[in-house]
Amino acid sequence: MQPHHGLVRTPSGLIDTLPSWYDGPVKDSILTFVNEVTAREGPSFVPPEERIAVFDNDGTLWCEQPLPVQGLFLFDRLKVLLNDRPELREKPPFSAVASHDRLQLAQLGKKGLAELFYATHTGMTTEQFSIIATRWLHTALHPQLRRPVLDCAFQPMLELLELLKRAEFTCFVVTGGGVDFVRACSHELYGIPKHQVIGTRAKTKIEVEGERFDVIKLAQLDSFDDRESKVLNIEQQIGSRPIFAFGNSDGDLAMLHYTAAGNGKRFVALLHHDDAAREYAYDRNFAISPLSQGLVEAAERGWMISMKECFAEVFTPWPRVTA
Amino acid sequence: MQPHHGLVRTPSGLIDTLPSWYDGPVKDSILTFVNEVTAREGPSFVPPEERIAVFDNDGTLWCEQPLPVQGLFLFDRLKVLLNDRPELREKPPFSAVASHDRLQLAQLGKKGLAELFYATHTGMTTEQFSIIATRWLHTALHPQLRRPVLDCAFQPMLELLELLKRAEFTCFVVTGGGVDFVRACSHELYGIPKHQVIGTRAKTKIEVEGERFDVIKLAQLDSFDDRESKVLNIEQQIGSRPIFAFGNSDGDLAMLHYTAAGNGKRFVALLHHDDAAREYAYDRNFAISPLSQGLVEAAERGWMISMKECFAEVFTPWPRVTA
């Protein structure tokens, strides 16, 4: 292996990259991979249009504990809803939220949870939803980290996205979260445009009235972008098999296997949250984003990346340094 | 209106653009629009991440007469299929193809036509289909224009795509054609990557066997990307309302209305094929891509662009000039 020392040759020259990753075999393997697939005369060259990288979002690009950020948004929106329509307070599943009944909340099940999402995320245009989500994202604080939710991205992952973009990769977020929620912040957080976000989506319909021509989000699931559905949605929206994939839970395993099974050089990684001191330590025990099958398979295949051992910094610098 | 004379100021400077468009009000309106939405201090500025342009493919970016190119591909693939499996020659709808029975072919209907498409376009991975389509695209000739099908794109439209890209637009093909067929040539023809192609698609399923992990195209329609579905698919895959839309048939009208109904400056156009001398002249009379409602609405709204009056050149130069 060539020495890298945090320097990588990309089409735009030598760049000092990944300063928030510890030097070591993982950082080396990332830089080696990028060097190899971008080396025009090399045996592993991949033309830029086939340099597709996919990233899970919650727990991969930003913190998902104690709840994914969209869960925090959901409960804040439910407060607003129950304030506007107090009659809902008596009605399940809203009564569980109104009474802060943890047991009732835990027993909501998929159907109850879906009803809470539909009541706060649908029945409006994507444009209207995006305004609500963007406003919330710019004011919300993480309940335990005590920093803005938009400052809960992992600095090493932002550097990785930037490195791949400079190396002419096209990076996609492939999230189990709501596509419109993640699209409301993907550009600001990751420099990733809306059309490079694939996620869970509701069915939609067109409403035309006079000069108005709108698309309305309906209270019906169109695709829950998790597990095998991540692969089918990648195929549908990207149309090529990725050569680079990064996830953190069992929900990402299919996408990692799909990437690994392609011909030629591949980079596949699974982030293991094992750093209770700086972030959180969890795997099997986190119901929202379980990692159990993945722990075994990622270890077997050498995909596992320990946050503790690889991240020199965890979060983006905060308070932000402004000029 | 400022004088343009084929020059437009984009973020990368002054560029001589659109040489294959006649000087006149249509060319002026394109250049004015691009200037206005990219002028950082102007009242109509649109940030790059919201500069979304959508283009129909058949009849908008390339020739669709006497059959859309994918129709030529279909019949060539059916020949191969009937050669490999002669027993199909007796069986409808294949018998109509085997016997060259024009009446029977014309009466196939949606179901029969779908069966021909499924037999030649599905039951394989996207990667396998892409190899077949790419090979065909590189050898096929247009039956009347006597030039390669990959040289049947409209030169003025290629210049328009290039202008928009330089002005930091993201351009999408939104086609009623098969998404995988158009993805097989979108980069080479238009410089548009696969993930910026939205089209008609089949349902898919995952097949896993040993180290193989594939997505197989099934003989079931998932979305026919035409009319209102173009709008819903734009919403699903792009996530923002376009500010620029270009089509040529009734199948594009919903997409044009959706674009026009947004806030701020918009550019909306419908190409009218009225040049029998250099290409084809058709509108209501072309069953595959009818223009009837669109003729009325585009005229009313000032969206109509006459090929005869606006295109100084129609096709890309051919034979190609090589160094």
Side-chain angles (χ1 to χ4, degrees):
Chain A
M1 198 186 300
Q2 306 151 25
H4 285 287
H5 312 299
L7 291 176
V8 64
R9 185 175 293 281
T10 70
S12 43
L14 275 175
I15 306 161
D16 181 1
T17 54
L18 309 185
S20 300
W21 291 74
Y22 286 125
D23 287 331
V26 168
K27 183 169 174 169
D28 276 352
S29 69
I30 295 172
L31 296 173
T32 302
F33 174 79
V34 173
N35 270 335
E36 289 180 344
V37 298
T38 57
R40 198 161 288 274
E41 309 299 331
S44 307
F45 178 71
V46 176
E49 66 272 18
E50 290 168 26
R51 292 182 202 154
I52 302 295
V54 290
F55 291 83
D56 169 56
N57 188 39
D58 294 311
T60 299
L61 294 177
W62 71 351
C63 181
E64 64 176 344
Q65 287 275 13
L67 267 188
V69 175
Q70 195 177 0
L72 305 173
F73 172 73
L74 171 68
F75 285 105
D76 278 356
R77 291 309 298 167
L78 285 168
K79 272 185 221 160
V80 175
L81 177 70
L82 295 179
N83 201 41
D84 291 351
R85 298 182 52 196
E87 75 279 8
L88 288 177
R89 290 167 179 273
E90 310 300 323
K91 207 185 139 195
F94 303 100
S95 51
V97 179
S99 62
H100 303 280
D101 183 333
R102 277 167 187 264
L103 185 67
Q104 209 189 328
L105 276 171
Q107 291 172 343
L108 277 180
K110 275 188 189 172
K111 197 171 155 286
L113 201 60
E115 209 175 322
L116 298 181
F117 270 104
Y118 293 146
T120 48
H121 285 62
T122 67
M124 62 188 104
T125 67
T126 311
E127 286 143 333
Q128 289 164 333
F129 177 79
S130 181
I131 291 168
I132 294 169
T134 304
R135 195 176 298 151
W136 182 87
L137 282 158
H138 280 94
T139 54
L141 290 174
H142 189 281
Q144 295 174 341
L145 299 170
R146 315 306 298 167
R147 49 161 70 207
V149 294
L150 287 182
D151 290 295
C152 292
F154 303 132
Q155 178 65 19
M157 297 306 288
L158 297 186
E159 292 168 7
L160 179 55
L161 287 173
E162 184 57 30
L163 165 66
L164 293 175
K165 269 181 265 181
R166 284 177 188 231
E168 295 182 79
F169 278 69
T170 309
C171 296
F172 292 83
V173 178
V174 182
T175 176
V179 67
D180 295 321
F181 184 77
V182 180
R183 281 174 175 165
C185 54
S186 64
H187 184 260
E188 184 170 350
L189 268 176
Y190 312 129
I192 289 181
K194 291 181 180 187
H195 64 270
Q196 285 162 224
V197 179
I198 295 170
T200 294
R201 58 183 193 256
K203 288 192 195 293
T204 53
K205 69 162 184 185
I206 289 173
E207 261 184 23
V208 181
E209 203 190 310
E211 288 301 299
R212 201 166 62 75
F213 194 116
D214 287 323
V215 177
I216 309 289
K217 288 156 63 82
L218 299 175
Q220 284 177 60
L221 186 68
D222 190 38
S223 173
F224 177 36
D225 190 50
D226 195 39
R227 298 180 184 259
E228 276 69 23
S229 292
K230 288 202 174 192
V231 174
L232 298 180
N233 285 330
I234 286 170
E235 188 68 22
Q236 183 191 112
Q237 297 192 35
I238 305 179
S240 332
R241 195 188 291 253
I243 64 168
F244 188 110
F246 216 125
N248 83 306
S249 80
D250 287 357
D252 303 316
L253 263 187
M255 169 171 96
L256 303 187
H257 281 297
Y258 179 56
T259 302
N263 295 322
K265 286 260 184 274
R266 307 275 145 171
F267 186 90
V268 173
L270 194 135
L271 182 63
H272 190 201
H273 293 262
D274 56 0
D275 195 332
R278 298 186 299 170
E279 200 238 8
Y280 295 90
Y282 61 101
D283 37 56
R284 286 181 186 79
N285 56 339
F286 184 39
I288 290 167
S289 181
L291 177 63
S292 115
Q293 199 189 342
L295 270 184
V296 181
E297 295 184 24
E300 271 175 22
R301 291 168 182 261
W303 296 345
M304 195 78 93
I305 287 187
S306 152
M307 178 179 279
K308 203 171 179 172
E309 289 170 23
C310 297
F311 283 13
E313 296 293 334
V314 174
F315 291 109
T316 50
W318 189 80
R320 298 189 205 188
V321 183
T322 49
Chain B
M1 200 187 299
Q2 306 149 26
H4 285 285
H5 311 299
L7 291 176
V8 64
R9 185 175 293 281
T10 71
S12 43
L14 275 174
I15 306 160
D16 182 3
T17 54
L18 309 184
S20 301
W21 292 73
Y22 286 126
D23 287 331
V26 168
K27 183 168 175 170
D28 276 351
S29 70
I30 295 172
L31 296 174
T32 301
F33 174 79
V34 173
N35 270 335
E36 288 181 343
V37 299
T38 56
R40 197 162 290 273
E41 309 299 331
S44 306
F45 179 71
V46 176
E49 66 270 20
E50 291 168 25
R51 292 183 203 153
I52 302 295
V54 291
F55 291 83
D56 169 57
N57 189 40
D58 293 311
T60 299
L61 294 177
W62 71 353
C63 180
E64 65 177 344
Q65 288 275 15
L67 266 189
V69 174
Q70 195 177 359
L72 306 173
F73 172 74
L74 171 68
F75 285 106
D76 279 356
R77 292 308 298 167
L78 284 168
K79 271 184 221 160
V80 174
L81 178 70
L82 295 178
N83 202 42
D84 291 351
R85 298 181 53 194
E87 75 279 10
L88 288 177
R89 290 165 180 275
E90 310 301 322
K91 207 186 138 195
F94 304 100
S95 51
V97 179
S99 62
H100 304 279
D101 183 332
R102 277 168 186 265
L103 186 67
Q104 210 189 328
L105 275 171
Q107 290 172 344
L108 276 180
K110 277 188 188 173
K111 197 171 157 288
L113 201 59
E115 208 173 324
L116 298 182
F117 271 103
Y118 293 145
T120 48
H121 285 62
T122 68
M124 61 188 104
T125 67
T126 311
E127 286 142 332
Q128 289 165 332
F129 177 79
S130 182
I131 290 168
I132 294 169
T134 303
R135 194 177 296 150
W136 182 87
L137 281 158
H138 280 94
T139 54
L141 290 174
H142 189 281
Q144 295 174 342
L145 298 170
R146 315 306 298 167
R147 48 161 67 206
V149 294
L150 286 182
D151 290 296
C152 292
F154 303 132
Q155 179 65 17
M157 298 305 288
L158 297 186
E159 292 169 7
L160 179 54
L161 287 173
E162 184 57 29
L163 165 66
L164 293 175
K165 268 182 265 182
R166 285 176 188 231
E168 294 182 80
F169 279 68
T170 309
C171 296
F172 292 83
V173 178
V174 182
T175 177
V179 67
D180 294 321
F181 184 77
V182 180
R183 280 174 175 165
C185 54
S186 64
H187 184 260
E188 184 169 349
L189 268 176
Y190 312 129
I192 289 182
K194 290 181 181 186
H195 64 269
Q196 286 162 223
V197 178
I198 295 171
T200 294
R201 58 183 192 256
K203 287 191 194 296
T204 53
K205 70 163 184 183
I206 289 172
E207 261 185 23
V208 180
E209 203 189 310
E211 289 300 299
R212 201 166 62 76
F213 194 118
D214 287 324
V215 177
I216 308 290
K217 289 157 63 81
L218 299 175
Q220 284 177 57
L221 185 66
D222 190 37
S223 173
F224 176 36
D225 190 49
D226 195 38
R227 300 181 182 258
E228 276 69 24
S229 293
K230 287 201 173 193
V231 173
L232 298 179
N233 285 330
I234 285 171
E235 189 68 20
Q236 183 191 113
Q237 297 192 35
I238 306 179
S240 334
R241 194 189 289 255
I243 63 169
F244 187 110
F246 215 124
N248 83 305
S249 79
D250 286 356
D252 303 316
L253 263 187
M255 169 171 96
L256 303 188
H257 280 298
Y258 179 57
T259 302
N263 295 323
K265 287 257 184 274
R266 307 275 145 171
F267 185 91
V268 173
L270 193 135
L271 182 63
H272 190 202
H273 293 262
D274 55 1
D275 195 331
R278 298 185 300 170
E279 200 236 7
Y280 295 90
Y282 61 102
D283 36 57
R284 286 182 187 79
N285 56 338
F286 185 38
I288 290 166
S289 181
L291 177 62
S292 110
Q293 200 189 341
L295 270 185
V296 181
E297 294 184 26
E300 271 176 20
R301 291 167 182 263
W303 295 345
M304 195 78 95
I305 287 186
S306 152
M307 178 179 276
K308 202 170 180 176
E309 290 170 22
C310 297
F311 284 12
E313 296 292 333
V314 173
F315 291 109
T316 51
W318 189 80
R320 297 187 205 190
V321 184
T322 49

